[in-house]
Amino acid sequence: PSRRPTMKDTRSISQTLLAMLKEQGCKTLFGVPGAYSIHFVDSCTTGPDPFEFVLASHEGGAAFMAQGYSHV
């Protein structure tokens, strides 16, 4: 059962999203890091139980890689 975030949470949006992904069993993320997402990528790859983050050079490539990975 997923816990709904409340206004009393002190976690960042990145931390909340990553906690929800962990609850769903996600272990690997695909994406394109950049100036707007660098804090999210840092949150993904640090901490006691980090995600595996697969870097792609194009958003479409990341989507295709994630789709293929989900079928393996």
Side-chain angles (χ1 to χ4, degrees):
S2 183
R3 184 180 72 84
R4 295 190 70 137
T6 66
M7 293 301 290
K8 295 180 182 180
D9 285 335
T10 58
R11 298 184 297 180
S12 69
I13 292 171
S14 295
Q15 292 168 330
T16 302
L17 176 60
L18 294 172
M20 291 175 157
L21 288 170
K22 287 277 185 198
E23 286 178 8
Q24 295 299 315
C26 182
K27 297 177 183 172
T28 306
L29 302 174
F30 294 81
V32 181
Y36 295 106
S37 64
I38 196 67
H39 296 294
F40 179 72
V41 174
D42 284 343
S43 297
C44 294
T45 58
T46 58
D49 189 19
F51 286 87
E52 176 184 3
F53 192 84
V54 180
L55 300 174
S57 58
H58 188 271
E59 293 90 349
F64 281 118
M65 291 187 316
Q67 177 70 21
Y69 187 81
S70 71
H71 293 285
V72 175

